[in-house]
Amino acid sequence: MFRKRPKGEAEGAKEPKELARREEAAPPAAPQRLDASLEIIAGPGKGEVIRLSRIVTLIGRQEGCDIVLQDQTVSREHGQFEQSLGQWVYTNFSENGTYLNRKKVERAILADGDVLEMGSETRLKFALREAEAATAGLVVRRRPRRRSDEVEEEEEEEEQAQANVAATIGDSLRKRRGVVILLAIYFAFMLVVGIALWARKGDKKSQNPDTGEWTRAQIDASLDMHFGRPPDATAATAKLREGYAEYQRRLSPDLMCRYNALRAFTEASEYLGGSMIPWDYQKAAREVREELVTNLWSLYRDALLAEARGKKDRARRLYNEILGSVGSDNEFYKHCAARQSRP
């Protein structure tokens, strides 16, 4: 099959000059892209460098994430990195929050050298650089002629890719809105419970703590602590680490470590400005409180039984053990001290 010559083109004639000049012109410059990487500077995997090679990169401790962190205090899906309009943007998904250069952020544009903190241990350093050669290494070739249907298919594929990215961002925003609604319901419930406990604590304080016998519920209520700490993210982080260190010592014979852990977690919650402490630390706080109440109640019952049997020396030793397990500002401490001092 022969190619049809344009009208007026003689056989053997040279190509028009205009066409020759167009063919010899240099191709347009390739679009610039941004290369970025994350270096783990603290926490599990310290020293590891991770290259961000995708448009959207999900990070967390869940196996399905693009970047999986081994820090158990990091959320399952903690956040995502995305390249948009020539910039790298980080979006937080975690209820525990993410700190960028020691400031809590939900969505922020990243710059070279920024440090992100996730969980209680992991710190990541963001490195940004332009690609060394968005055009280097490319061989200059003439662009082959393509059929119009091929061009349309490529345009449709590009539009579909953009739609997928937009859908991913939309799903992320909807997920965050759902989390915000759940948090609002949680805080409303906690407010009601707090008011009820405060009223109950007021009724308990109206009684004389030096007389009568306490119940397990009264011992539990005496561990509700209030310090009035001002919002301070740095102090909150320090208290969380202090509380977790005491929590890890809870298997020792010294019961005071449980009380110290509970006190540190309570102070951390107030330093966070009333916001919820990370889930792992909430679990630790519940465990140490339950263990502390169980141990105090067991010692207290034994002391009451010793008193009833006239074994005052044994009762005093048990009360001494209780006094060494809680702070002196605690109401149960004052009650046990008063019973111990009775003749």
Side-chain angles (χ1 to χ4, degrees):
M1 186 174 181
F2 299 98
R3 178 176 67 87
K4 185 177 179 180
R5 294 192 180 87
K7 185 177 180 180
E9 180 180 348
E11 184 174 357
K14 296 181 179 179
E15 289 183 294
K17 293 183 179 180
E18 183 180 355
L19 179 59
R21 286 197 300 272
R22 189 181 299 119
E23 292 290 348
E24 294 173 358
Q32 292 293 322
R33 63 182 177 85
L34 298 176
D35 281 350
S37 63
L38 296 172
E39 180 184 359
I40 303 177
I41 59 176
K46 180 179 180 181
E48 182 179 353
V49 177
I50 306 167
R51 183 181 177 187
L52 299 177
S53 58
R54 305 181 62 176
I55 295 177
V56 178
T57 302
L58 185 64
I59 186 171
R61 76 169 192 272
Q62 187 170 271
E63 290 297 331
C65 294
D66 301 314
I67 299 177
V68 180
L69 299 176
Q70 301 303 320
D71 187 350
Q72 293 302 310
T73 61
V74 171
S75 296
R76 291 181 176 85
E77 293 183 0
H78 205 95
Q80 76 175 18
F81 299 87
E82 59 181 290
Q83 186 176 173
S84 175
L85 301 178
Q87 294 175 321
W88 278 97
V89 180
Y90 174 80
T91 303
N92 174 64
F93 294 158
S94 173
E95 299 175 8
N96 304 336
T98 302
Y99 290 84
L100 175 62
N101 299 326
R102 299 192 175 183
K103 292 183 179 179
K104 192 172 184 179
V105 296
E106 290 299 326
R107 184 174 173 85
I109 297 174
L110 300 177
D112 183 58
D114 282 349
V115 176
L116 295 101
E117 298 182 33
M118 300 179 183
S120 62
E121 300 177 7
T122 301
R123 296 177 63 197
L124 306 170
K125 184 176 182 181
F126 178 81
L128 174 66
R129 63 184 178 84
E130 292 187 356
E132 294 180 353
T135 58
L138 296 177
V139 179
V140 179
R141 295 188 179 95
R142 291 182 180 178
R143 185 177 181 181
R145 297 181 183 273
R146 295 178 298 175
R147 296 195 303 256
S148 60
D149 55 347
E150 293 178 346
V151 175
E152 290 176 357
E153 288 178 1
E154 288 188 2
E155 290 176 351
E156 289 177 359
E157 291 176 357
E158 183 176 355
E159 290 175 357
Q160 183 62 36
Q162 294 176 355
N164 291 338
V165 173
T168 301
I169 296 174
D171 291 341
S172 300
L173 293 177
R174 283 192 293 273
K175 181 178 179 181
R176 288 177 58 193
R177 281 197 295 270
V179 171
V180 170
I181 293 172
L182 290 175
L183 285 176
I185 295 173
Y186 174 83
F187 285 129
F189 174 77
M190 293 301 295
L191 179 61
V192 173
V193 173
I195 293 174
L197 291 176
W198 184 265
R200 188 171 121 187
K201 187 175 181 180
D203 292 339
K204 180 180 72 65
K205 286 186 176 181
S206 63
Q207 303 172 358
N208 184 358
D210 297 342
T211 60
E213 297 177 0
W214 278 35
T215 64
R216 180 188 177 101
Q218 287 177 299
I219 296 174
D220 189 10
S222 72
L223 298 177
D224 294 334
M225 307 177 197
H226 302 279
F227 303 98
R229 303 300 189 195
D232 187 338
T234 302
T237 301
K239 284 296 179 181
L240 287 176
R241 291 173 178 170
E242 176 184 338
Y244 196 76
E246 292 291 335
Y247 164 76
Q248 292 178 320
R249 295 180 52 244
R250 74 188 192 284
L251 299 180
S252 67
D254 183 13
L255 295 181
M256 181 59 80
C257 63
R258 296 174 175 82
Y259 183 83
N260 291 336
L262 183 61
R263 182 186 181 97
F265 287 140
T266 304
E267 289 186 270
S269 179
E270 294 189 1
Y271 276 127
L272 289 173
S275 60
M276 186 170 53
I277 66 175
W279 182 84
D280 293 333
Y281 293 103
Q282 290 184 54
K283 180 181 177 182
R286 287 195 298 268
E287 288 181 359
V288 296
R289 180 168 184 152
E290 180 64 26
E291 292 173 2
L292 183 59
V293 170
T294 299
N295 289 322
L296 292 177
W297 175 239
S298 176
L299 292 172
Y300 184 67
R301 284 186 305 173
D302 291 343
L304 294 178
L305 183 61
E307 285 182 347
R309 293 177 177 177
K311 299 180 180 180
K312 296 184 178 180
D313 290 338
R314 173 171 170 75
R316 288 193 180 95
R317 287 196 299 271
L318 291 169
Y319 282 129
N320 274 333
E321 191 170 350
I322 294 173
L323 298 180
S325 304
V326 294
S328 59
D329 56 344
N330 181 271
E331 292 297 323
F332 184 56
Y333 178 99
K334 297 175 183 178
H335 168 76
C336 292
R339 292 191 70 92
Q340 184 191 44
S341 62
R342 292 188 310 176

